[in-house]
Amino acid sequence: MVITGYDEGFENYMDMMNETGFGFAQVWPLLTSGFLVMAVTVELMGMSIIAPASQCVVVSLYFWAVLADSYGRRWVLLVSTSLSTCVSLTSALMPTFPLFIAMRFCVGLFIAGPSFAAITYLAEFCTFYHRRITIIYMAMFQGIAMVYCPVMATLFIHQKWTYDLGFIVYKPWRFLMLLNSLPGLVGIFLLIGLPESPEILLCTQRKQKCINVVKWIYRVNKRKEMDWQVEPEDLSCPGYRIVDKQTCVELMNQGRPLFKKPYVVPFLSSCVVMSGLFFLGNGLGIWFTDLRNRRIDEDLESYTICANMRRFKEFYSELDGCQVTLKSFRDSMFLGATYLIMFNGVALLLRNVSPKIIVVALQILCFLLGGVLPWIAHETATSVIFIIFLAIPNCLIALVSGIVIEFTSADLRGKAVCLCILIGRSGMITGTFLVGYAMDANCELTYTLFGLYALGCSVVSVLLPGKWKCFRLIADQPELRARSMSVLRTRSMARPTQIYDTLIKK
């Protein structure tokens, strides 16, 4: 393994990509990645009651990341999504529960691929300026999935029809699993017509293919051929590049540069923030429907969310509390709709506001909402605050992932996002156990701790790199560093796009 710095070769590649503009060649990967993210969300929601399946997503994640950085994003997406969809469809036909569990475990192994590769694949079709906004729009499909799942469950889970197929009795829940596989099938269909990411082709020494893909992007967007005559030797990729065959141990150690300068501080701060976001959004979110169901409709407006939980425990047995109705899914639908609204709001803010400022500000808002949540007695206000409290961190997960993508070179990008998500999921596990063990013991204190955790993460978020720091982290050339600093000191350049254009021009 050798280190190659930012030089004229990578600057030539960036100039080529900037000439392609923004158009259908980015919208197509956006829709594809969106459906793949939707497939991951739907499958994870379907597997949420099966602990082993959730664990194997974590176990297999880094393996897929190494393959994605070594061989390509599209290959990993195509293989992992195809396998997970096939196994998911097969699991709906299992005649016994142990076989069903085993198949869902395999789904978890394969669905880990698109959970991180989709975002890196999309990012590498976009220029530096458009990257963050397109990632946010891709993450919106998570909100669509949050609406899709409960709507489908509401429509089919109560139906009584059955079909005897001989080896199994086909029931509505099996058909529901088929519907949950549809986003993955759509994503595979859209992915077949797309090329590999141009940047990973460049960094894996397939330079002529990289040039062909860039020309394809230009042709799709501009409806004409690119007239640039670029030779493969004119292009290069910065970062850590594999130059010979390596052992499995060495392949697994490819993430070590992330824990060294210049990446160590921004990467570790991103991991801490990501852990906090998973702690808040998913640690509490997994219990969301159950917590909202622990309430008594009578005199609902007169009690806080914690008081209603205590009343529910007093007056209902566990059997009485197990209710699957349209009302059980209503708040989940509202949560998904809130995701969509918030993702659109963040996308608008990104045009003029630094992502780091957005991350810090929204986490402070999350702290304030968490502080008042257990003390509000009005039912509607409680629902609104609870939903916004969960939507904020889940929206910021995509934004922090975009920051990680921007300050890492292409050959470290998949592993960086993967490790960040892995560490983030440790926060989710911690949050889940905290809710499970502490909520009944001291409900008010538990909600307060979640709010304080958001405040602590907002402090760490200050260490996240800004837009131009991200650019300079992968720009090792001394001349470019000097030029970037001089540009940032130029007060006459008020518009960010003007600064960006100056940075990338020769």
Side-chain angles (χ1 to χ4, degrees):
M1 183 180 292
V2 298
I3 303 174
T4 60
Y6 181 104
D7 54 21
E8 187 176 354
F10 190 65
E11 193 173 349
N12 290 336
Y13 169 76
M14 293 179 68
D15 286 341
M16 286 180 62
M17 283 298 295
N18 285 317
E19 286 294 319
T20 63
F22 187 91
F24 188 68
Q26 284 75 36
V27 174
W28 190 350
L30 170 60
L31 293 174
T32 303
S33 301
F35 275 105
L36 295 175
V37 167
M38 185 176 175
V40 173
T41 305
V42 170
E43 289 291 355
L44 290 179
M45 289 179 71
M47 294 188 298
S48 61
I49 61 171
I50 305 170
S54 300
Q55 293 170 0
C56 66
V57 170
V58 175
V59 169
S60 62
L61 195 60
Y62 190 77
F63 168 76
W64 288 114
V66 171
L67 291 179
D69 283 345
S70 302
Y71 300 103
R73 323 290 192 211
R74 181 181 180 274
W75 182 84
V76 165
L77 286 172
L78 200 56
V79 171
S80 60
T81 309
S82 298
L83 289 173
S84 67
T85 303
C86 291
V87 175
S88 180
L89 291 172
T90 306
S91 67
L93 301 176
M94 291 296 100
T96 64
F97 188 67
L99 285 175
F100 175 78
I101 291 289
M103 296 303 290
R104 298 310 295 179
F105 184 90
C106 294
V107 172
L109 288 175
F110 298 132
I111 203 63
S115 67
F116 78 94
I119 188 172
T120 55
Y121 181 70
L122 172 63
E124 290 166 2
F125 273 87
C126 302
T127 62
F128 189 81
Y129 181 69
H130 295 112
R131 189 169 281 172
R132 285 175 176 165
I133 296 177
T134 53
I135 288 173
I136 290 297
Y137 280 119
M138 180 205 73
M140 283 177 56
F141 282 80
Q142 182 183 0
I144 297 174
M146 293 286 293
V147 176
Y148 177 83
C149 272
V151 166
M152 292 298 104
T154 301
L155 291 176
F156 292 99
I157 202 70
H158 289 296
Q159 294 187 14
K160 303 299 183 183
W161 53 264
T162 58
Y163 293 100
D164 191 349
L165 301 181
F167 64 101
I168 62 166
V169 177
Y170 202 80
K171 294 184 178 182
W173 70 267
R174 296 183 186 271
F175 181 69
L176 186 60
M177 294 184 66
L178 172 63
L179 295 176
N180 287 344
S181 300
L182 287 180
L185 293 172
V186 175
I188 293 170
F189 176 77
L190 292 174
L191 185 61
I192 290 174
L194 284 170
E196 180 57 90
S197 150
E199 197 166 338
I200 198 63
L201 289 173
L202 175 62
C203 290
T204 52
Q205 300 304 297
R206 292 174 281 179
K207 295 182 180 180
Q208 186 56 55
K209 291 183 178 180
C210 169
I211 294 172
N212 295 338
V213 173
V214 174
K215 289 183 176 180
W216 176 86
I217 296 172
Y218 185 92
R219 184 169 59 252
V220 171
N221 285 345
K222 302 293 181 68
R223 297 294 188 267
K224 61 180 180 180
E225 294 294 332
M226 194 175 201
D227 56 3
W228 277 27
Q229 297 299 323
V230 180
E231 299 299 327
E233 56 268 19
D234 296 332
L235 304 178
S236 67
C237 176
Y240 293 74
R241 187 176 71 241
I242 302 171
V243 294
D244 53 9
K245 292 184 179 179
Q246 303 204 348
T247 65
C248 292
V249 174
E250 289 171 327
L251 287 174
M252 295 302 292
N253 287 334
Q254 286 182 21
R256 285 182 297 177
L258 295 168
F259 299 94
K260 300 177 181 179
K261 290 183 178 181
Y263 294 121
V264 58
V265 173
F267 178 69
L268 290 180
S269 59
S270 300
C271 291
V272 172
V273 173
M274 187 71 82
S275 176
L277 296 176
F278 271 95
F279 177 89
L280 297 169
N282 292 278
L284 188 58
I286 287 177
W287 296 90
F288 175 65
T289 302
D290 181 62
L291 292 173
R292 297 299 294 143
N293 283 340
R294 294 189 192 182
R295 52 189 175 179
I296 302 175
D297 291 337
E298 183 181 355
D299 296 328
L300 191 59
E301 299 286 347
S302 304
Y303 297 88
T304 65
I305 187 172
C306 291
N308 266 295
M309 284 180 59
R310 288 190 284 268
R311 293 173 69 218
F312 184 89
K313 188 177 180 180
E314 254 180 68
F315 290 101
Y316 283 92
S317 66
E318 291 184 7
L319 182 63
D320 292 329
C322 183
Q323 303 171 14
V324 182
T325 65
L326 175 62
K327 190 173 181 179
S328 302
F329 297 116
R330 184 190 61 188
D331 285 345
S332 295
M333 297 178 196
F334 288 155
L335 180 59
T338 306
Y339 279 13
L340 295 176
I341 296 171
M342 190 160 291
F343 280 128
N344 275 288
V346 170
L348 292 174
L349 287 173
L350 278 174
R351 299 180 185 276
N352 299 298
V353 182
S354 167
K356 184 165 76 171
I357 294 176
I358 295 175
V359 172
V360 173
L362 287 182
Q363 286 187 109
I364 292 175
L365 175 60
C366 203
F367 158 68
L368 297 175
L369 294 175
V372 302
L373 179 60
W375 311 107
I376 300 295
H378 194 276
E379 168 61 15
T380 303
T382 300
S383 299
V384 171
I385 292 173
F386 202 169
I387 288 172
I388 296 176
F389 180 81
L390 293 179
I392 287 174
N394 280 287
C395 181
L396 293 181
I397 287 173
L399 196 56
V400 174
S401 298
I403 294 175
V404 173
I405 284 174
E406 287 192 348
F407 70 72
T408 51
S409 57
D411 47 349
L412 287 173
R413 191 167 290 151
K415 292 181 282 290
V417 175
C418 159
L419 289 172
C420 201
I421 291 175
L422 279 176
I423 295 172
R425 291 190 186 279
S426 67
M428 177 184 70
I429 295 171
T430 304
T432 301
F433 278 107
L434 177 62
V435 175
Y437 287 102
M439 188 64 76
D440 285 331
N442 195 324
C443 175
E444 289 83 1
L445 178 61
T446 305
Y447 280 113
T448 302
L449 288 175
F450 273 89
L452 290 173
Y453 203 94
L455 180 63
C457 288
S458 68
V459 175
V460 179
S461 300
V462 176
L463 297 175
L464 293 175
K467 188 170 187 178
W468 309 118
K469 176 65 174 178
C470 288
F471 185 81
R472 294 197 304 275
L473 279 170
I474 62 169
D476 295 349
Q477 190 180 17
E479 294 84 355
L480 183 66
R481 284 183 179 274
R483 185 179 349 139
S484 64
M485 291 307 297
S486 66
V487 168
L488 291 175
R489 293 192 195 100
T490 304
R491 298 185 180 182
S492 60
M493 290 183 170
R495 293 173 58 242
T497 53
Q498 206 173 352
I499 298 175
Y500 168 74
D501 291 341
T502 306
L503 278 173
I504 62 173
K505 294 295 183 184
K506 291 185 180 179

